[in-house]
Amino acid sequence: MLYRETGQFKTTYSADQAVFPILQDKIGIILMLAFLFIVVPLTFNDFWLGGIMIPTLVFALAAVGLNLLTGYAGQLSLGTGGFMGVGAYACYKLVTIFPEVNVLIHIMLSGVFAAGVGFIFGLPSLRIKGFYLAVATLASQFFLEWAFGRVPWLYNYNDSGAIEVPTREAFGIAVTGPTASAETRYLVVLTIVVFLTWIASNLVRGRFGRSWMAIRDMDIAAELIGIRLLPTKLTAFAISSYYCGVAGACMVFLWLGAAEVESFDINHSFLILFMVIIGGLGSLIGCFLGAAFLWNLPILLRSVFGDAMDAATVEHVAFMVVGSMIIFFLIVEPHGLARLWQITKQKLRVWPFPY
């Protein structure tokens, strides 16, 4: 077997705590990134790029944001769809007000506005938690949905009430709008997702992540050892909302091309929550596994059953499968697909003597 760490010694604490402490993991991630950045845009058609790869990456980024809050900080949120909408509408206004600025800067800055909104709605987290905090974030979802549809300034007073993405260029190449190619939009989304995931991996392994996990495990004990609960929880809300805001901007500007209020409804909040549960709470790789599974499940069912199953039936079957898997993972393996992948790697290390 090739997956062995025999002979790989660590001489420093930083080397032992590296993101990829085993050489094979480093080689594997390099090969995967090379495949995603080179092979996929050269070989995949527009359907694969625009219908599978881009939405999977967008929802994975939103799942990373929610996982930072729920999986690492232990603060349950049902307002992910609303925070994604804040990022989308903020990016739309920035592009309208500052058309000469690079659209990629607008996409990254849009998360700042979502972080501010998340900071405000995270204030009740000091006094309430669990189910009551989930209800409070659910209220933020409904309030933001109302604002998206009732504040005409947000959508530039369009009669349709929708936001439509204009054509914008970055470095002389059309990135958004109808003239932007699927390959360009895919590469931009992939670059943003890889960069922000790298930032998140460093956050959860640093001071912020350790404070979040201490509060998640036992907030009273965390406060006794000197962790300030309110700033730490608000930081988790702000950073999580930033990721969701950038994901919302990417969803509208680099995938859909236009959006209405329904694009950020409560269904998206539950969808991303299910991605986190199935993928694995407290795991970044689980966000990608959960997003890939949930988004591609209906496509897989449709390709397997073909004409024998109509679209409505496929949707119902997908709901049944997702519900069954949520129950299964909550009972059998609460850490989701990421834990199964971790167990597989551990067994490969000691093969043919798995424990």
Side-chain angles (χ1 to χ4, degrees):
M1 296 294 292
L2 298 176
Y3 195 76
R4 287 288 189 272
E5 54 184 318
T6 304
Q8 300 182 34
F9 301 102
K10 309 297 186 300
T11 58
T12 62
Y13 177 78
S14 59
D16 188 60
Q17 294 296 317
V19 178
F20 303 107
I22 302 178
L23 177 61
Q24 288 84 341
D25 288 338
K26 297 179 182 178
I27 296 175
I29 196 66
I30 292 174
L31 293 176
M32 183 181 300
L33 290 176
F35 175 79
L36 292 175
F37 275 101
I38 300 175
V39 178
V40 170
L42 292 178
T43 58
F44 285 26
N45 56 29
D46 289 351
F47 168 75
W48 274 88
L49 293 175
I52 296 179
M53 300 302 296
I54 293 178
T56 299
L57 291 172
V58 168
F59 284 121
L61 182 60
V64 169
L66 180 60
N67 216 342
L68 292 177
L69 180 64
T70 302
Y72 287 95
Q75 309 300 305
L76 183 59
S77 173
L78 295 178
T80 308
F83 298 137
M84 292 178 67
V86 172
Y89 280 89
C91 189
Y92 180 67
K93 295 301 296 185
L94 288 174
V95 170
T96 303
I97 299 173
F98 305 103
E100 70 282 355
V101 179
N102 193 318
V103 67
L104 301 181
I105 298 178
H106 289 322
I107 292 175
M108 300 302 293
L109 286 179
S110 62
V112 176
F113 295 89
V117 175
F119 182 91
I120 295 174
F121 285 104
L123 290 174
S125 63
L126 182 63
R127 296 298 182 184
I128 58 178
K129 56 184 178 180
F131 171 77
Y132 301 99
L133 181 60
V135 172
T137 56
L138 184 62
S140 71
Q141 170 70 39
F142 292 141
F143 172 78
L144 292 173
E145 280 190 53
W146 173 87
F148 297 153
R150 294 294 185 272
V151 181
W153 178 81
L154 291 175
Y155 50 83
N156 289 344
Y157 303 94
N158 292 334
D159 294 334
S160 63
I163 54 177
E164 299 176 357
V165 177
T167 300
R168 290 291 184 271
E169 296 182 354
F171 310 107
I173 302 175
V175 176
T176 64
T179 60
S181 64
E183 292 82 2
T184 301
R185 292 184 286 112
Y186 164 75
L187 289 174
V188 172
V189 172
L190 180 61
T191 303
I192 293 174
V193 171
V194 170
F195 173 72
L196 290 181
T197 303
W198 174 71
I199 296 295
S201 67
N202 285 277
L203 282 175
V204 299
R205 299 171 67 254
R207 179 172 60 88
F208 285 112
R210 292 193 295 269
S211 299
W212 292 342
M213 288 182 280
I215 291 177
R216 176 196 64 189
D217 295 338
M218 186 173 293
D219 54 355
I220 297 178
E223 189 175 17
L224 289 175
I225 64 175
I227 296 177
R228 301 174 61 190
L229 295 186
L230 182 58
T232 305
K233 289 182 178 181
L234 292 181
T235 302
F237 269 95
I239 295 177
S240 170
S241 301
Y242 176 85
Y243 276 73
C244 294
V246 174
C250 291
M251 183 176 75
V252 176
F253 278 75
L254 300 173
W255 174 30
L256 299 177
E260 297 180 348
V261 180
E262 291 75 14
S263 301
F264 312 104
D265 59 8
I266 187 64
N267 293 327
H268 283 80
S269 297
F270 281 114
L271 176 64
I272 297 168
L273 178 61
F274 296 157
M275 291 178 181
V276 172
I277 293 175
I278 293 178
L281 289 168
S283 170
L284 295 180
I285 190 175
C287 301
F288 292 88
L289 296 176
F293 176 80
L294 282 184
W295 179 254
N296 297 303
L297 178 61
I299 301 175
L300 177 64
L301 291 176
R302 194 174 294 111
S303 62
V304 170
F305 293 99
D307 298 334
M309 187 179 298
D310 56 18
T313 305
V314 168
E315 185 177 3
H316 293 159
V317 172
F319 283 149
M320 295 170 60
V321 173
V322 171
S324 302
M325 291 198 65
I326 290 174
I327 296 175
F328 170 80
F329 280 114
L330 289 177
I331 296 176
V332 179
E333 186 50 76
H335 296 288
L337 295 172
R339 177 57 182 168
L340 298 181
W341 171 242
Q342 184 181 11
I343 292 174
T344 302
K345 290 172 60 178
Q346 290 174 350
K347 291 183 179 296
L348 288 176
R349 288 185 182 184
V350 295
W351 189 90
F353 304 105
Y355 54 88

